[in-house]
Every structure is written in structure tokens, then in C-alpha cells.
């Protein structure tokens, strides 16, 4: 969680100063979900993400240098600098890909789960998406097909109460997204997505069901983003578009998943404060080094722009 947070926050300054130019959707505040879910998976399991997927990539074991280089659109990036922040992929560690189209990877995740089932492999697939994706028809088609074929897939909905700047109450008659699993006879849960242990427990249980052929499972994780929808503070051409009430942001700051877990570890004498501080310093060093690597790296050669698009 600390690696994700410090990596995300390290993008703020280069975005504001124009060194990073692709749109960047920061994951700060939602770290417990990627971390708790991926801790319950094996490397060979698949994860599919969305426009806000740096955390999924890092939690699944992605290389931080390649992530940072991708966000600077440099050649050694995980998409060879051609994708930017919203095209994050590392198939070698099961990060099967993320795309900017809302709900765009859900049906791909279902396809991957179908392939695993046909091949009788014990691997599973996790499809991460936001509350906004619950307004896309493809989710319902995917739930139906996955349930019909009993596929080993977890639908992981990260409900942060907003879809861009639209509060969920303006998009849905009620805010109980996990209930959409019921008509398809899908086992569904809702948990506190800012409590990493709860996230881990519910995912471990759901992974067990999927590996036994009792999938799919739907999990709604309640959370909140601590940054703007896109960029650090949604300041688009000097117009602040983050209309979330200040009291609401303050309330969620108190539920910061990292501070909560650190307090738990200290209270239960599992870890000492000095060790937590040492972890912070080590991660800060890793992040700094990743930025240096990215800045020193070349941009892709314009003549090779389509190199990975078409098969040669
Ligand atoms: C199909 C489609 N419609 C609209 C958009 C523009 N858009 C980008 S992100 C976003 C909101 C997504 O909200 P949510 O799924 O809740 O994810 P969050 O940003 O809250 O993590 C929208 C509408 C898009 N990228 N794709
Ligand atoms: Mg949302």
C-alpha cells in the first residue's frame, strides 16, 4: 500500500509542471483494494484493470520503473511508451491489461476466465472496475454469461461514490451495487474497501469458491479517492471541477487505509513505528530512482509508432 501511495503522490509535481502529459487517474485512497485482492492471488492468476490501474499493476507485482517510464511515455515503459497511464500491462505477472474505456475490460476478463475453464486450469481472473461501470450494459451481459458457464472470475467493483464528477446518487436509484449479482444467482458481498484485512479475507474466500468451480463472485468495495478524478486536483485550465463537499473529503481522510492499518499493526505490537518509517524511506528511494530512470530514458522512435500495433 505504501509503494502504491508514494508512487502515486510522486506524479503530482511532474503533472503540474507539465513533465507528464498523458491523463493520469491517481489511485491514492483506494490502495487497500488492489493490495488486499492481489495478496489473495497467485502470480499466474489474471487481473484486468481500468483507467485507474497503477495500483492493480503494482500490487500484482509489476515493475515500478516500467510503470513510471510508461507514464512519462518513454520506450522502456510497460507498454513501450505508447500507452501512457491508462494502458498498463504486464502479462508475465498476470496483469492482463487496463484500458480507458469504462467497463472496457470486463468482457475480456470473462473471456480469459472462459479460456481457463476450457483448459481446465485452476487459475482465476479478477475484473476490477469502478461504480461508473455499473452503468454500462456489458457488465450485465458479462455477469449473465459468467454465471451461466460458472466461470472462475471475481467481479471487483471499487465504489468510490463518483463517476468523474457525477455523484452516484445522480446515476442510480440506490447505492447498493453488489445487489446486481443476485438476479444472475451470483454470490455477492459488500465490504469496507479501506480495510485491507477485510478486503483480503473476502477475496481469499471468493478465490476459494472460484477455484472449486463455484464462481463467479461479485464483490463491492466501498472506498473514496483522495485526489481528483484526473490529475491531482481536477484543475482543468484553471477551473476546479472537483465539486465533492470538503466535509466529505475530510471524513474519508480519517479512514485512510494506510494510516488505519499502521495503527492496527502498532496497537497489536506486530510492527514498531521505526520499521514503518524505514519502509517509507526505502519506498521513497525506490520511487525516486524510478523517476530518474524514466526521465533519462528515450521516447519511442516516431518511425516505430505502429511497431506493436500490427503483426509484421
Ligand atoms: C465508455 C466510456 N464512457 C465515458 C468515459 C469517460 N470517463 C472516463 S472515466 C469515467 C468515470 C468512471 O467512473 P468509475 O467507473 O466510477 O471509476 P473511477 O473514476 O471513479 O475510478 C468516465 C465517465 C469513458 N472513458 N468510457
Ligand atoms: Mg467511481
Amino acid at each position: 500500500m505504501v509503494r502504491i501511495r508514494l508512487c502515486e503522490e510522486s506524479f503530482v509535481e511532474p503533472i503540474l509542471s507539465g513533465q507528464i502529459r498523458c491523463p493520469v487517474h491517481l489511485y491514492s485512497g483506494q490502495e487497500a483494494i488492489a493490495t488486499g485482492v492481489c495478496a489473495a492471488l497467485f502470480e499466474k492468476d489474471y487481473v484486468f484493470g481500468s483507467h485507474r490501474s497503477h495500483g492493480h499493476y503494482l500490487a500484482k507485482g509489476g515493475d515500478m520503473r516500467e510503470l513510471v517510464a510508461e507514464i512519462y511515455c518513454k520506450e522502456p515503459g510497460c507498454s513501450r511508451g505508447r500507452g501512457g497511464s491508462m494502458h498498463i500491462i504486464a502479462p508475465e505477472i498476470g496483469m492482463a491489461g487496463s484500458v480507458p474505456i469504462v467497463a472496457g475490460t470486463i468482457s475480456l476478463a470473462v473471456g480469459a476466465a472462459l479460456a481457463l475453464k476450457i483448459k481446465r486450469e485452476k487459475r482465476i481472473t479478477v475484473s476490477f472496475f469502478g461504480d461508473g461501470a455499473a452503468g454500462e450494459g456489458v457488465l450485465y451481459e458479462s455477469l449473465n454469461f459468467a454465471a451461466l458457464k460458472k466461470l472462475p472470475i471475481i467481479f471487483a467493483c471499487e465504489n468510490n461514490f463518483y463517476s468523474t464528477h457525477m455523484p452516484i446518487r445522480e446515476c442510480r436509484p440506490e447505492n447498493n451495487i453488489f445487489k446486481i449479482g443476485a438476479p444472475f444467482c451470483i454470490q455477492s458481498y459488500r465490504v469496507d474497501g479501506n480495510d485491507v484485512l477485510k478486503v483480503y479475507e473476502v477475496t481469499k474466500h471468493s478465490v476459494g469458491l472460484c477455484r472449486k468451480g463455484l464462481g463467479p463472485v461479485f464483490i463491492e468495495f466501498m472506498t473514496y479517492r483522495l485526489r481528483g478524478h484526473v490529475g491531482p486536483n481536477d484543475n482543468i485550465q484553471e477551473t476546479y471541477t472537483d465539486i465533492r463537499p470538503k466535509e466529505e473529503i475530510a471524513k474519508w481522510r480519517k479512514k485512510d487505509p494506510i494510516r488505519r492499518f499502521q495503527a492496527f499493526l502498532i496497537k497489536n505490537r506486530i510492527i514498531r513505528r521505526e520499521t514503518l518509517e524505514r519502509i517509507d524511506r526505502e519506498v521513497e528511494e525506490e520511487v525516486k530512482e524510478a523517476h530518474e530512470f524514466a526521465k533519462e530514458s528515450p521516447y519511442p522512435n516516431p518511425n516505430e509508432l505502429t511497431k506493436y500495433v500490427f503483426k509484421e
Side-chain angles (χ1 to χ4, degrees), residues 90-284:
E92 66 284 3
I93 47 99
M95 177 64 198
S98 69
V99 302
I101 309 300
V102 171
T105 56
I106 298 175
S107 58
L108 305 183
V110 169
L114 177 64
L116 293 175
K117 174 142 188 179
I118 290 170
K119 292 201 257 176
R120 295 178 195 276
E121 293 192 27
K122 284 278 169 237
R123 299 150 73 186
I124 74 149
T125 297
V126 174
S127 172
F128 284 108
F129 51 89
D131 47 290
E136 295 287 343
V138 67
L139 174 58
Y140 302 84
E141 297 170 48
S142 298
L143 292 174
N144 183 59
F145 187 77
L148 180 71
K149 299 287 177 188
K150 299 196 169 34
L151 299 184
I153 180 167
I154 296 174
F155 294 95
C157 178
E158 301 189 46
N159 185 353
N160 60 12
F161 296 88
Y162 288 84
S163 172
T164 60
H165 312 291
M166 176 94 81
I168 194 154
R169 64 178 179 277
E170 290 181 26
C171 317
R172 305 185 66 80
E174 56 136 32
N175 184 12
N176 282 301
I177 295 177
F178 73 102
K179 289 188 181 170
I180 66 176
F184 303 100
C185 313
I186 295 178
Q187 193 74 42
S188 304
Y189 304 96
R190 168 185 254 192
V191 293
D192 179 349
N194 281 25
D195 182 334
V196 71
L197 294 178
K198 289 221 171 76
V199 172
Y200 175 73
E201 273 165 27
V202 73
T203 309
K204 202 165 164 40
H205 167 73
S206 306
V207 167
L209 291 177
C210 285
R211 290 208 209 279
K212 276 189 249 155
L214 300 174
V217 179
F218 190 101
I219 314 173
E220 181 184 13
F221 297 104
M222 309 310 287
T223 189
Y224 201 76
R225 58 174 159 72
L226 293 177
R227 289 285 184 180
H229 166 68
V230 58
N233 56 9
D234 282 329
N235 179 8
I236 301 168
Q237 291 161 349
E238 304 303 313
T239 309
Y240 286 91
T241 50
D242 191 348
I243 42 83
R244 299 178 304 168
K246 289 215 163 42
E247 313 75 63
E248 185 181 280
I249 300 175
K251 188 188 96 187
W252 278 93
R253 278 203 176 280
K254 292 202 186 110
K255 297 198 222 176
D256 183 316
I258 299 179
R259 288 218 205 103
R260 266 172 82 180
F261 191 50
Q262 286 175 334
F264 167 86
L265 292 173
I266 287 175
K267 186 166 162 232
N268 291 283
R269 297 172 185 272
I270 296 167
I271 205 166
R272 291 211 307 264
R273 192 165 290 283
E274 303 85 75
T275 314
L276 292 174
E277 287 166 3
R278 198 194 68 226
I279 292 171
D280 279 356
R281 284 196 302 276
E282 281 171 9
V283 175
E284 275 164 18

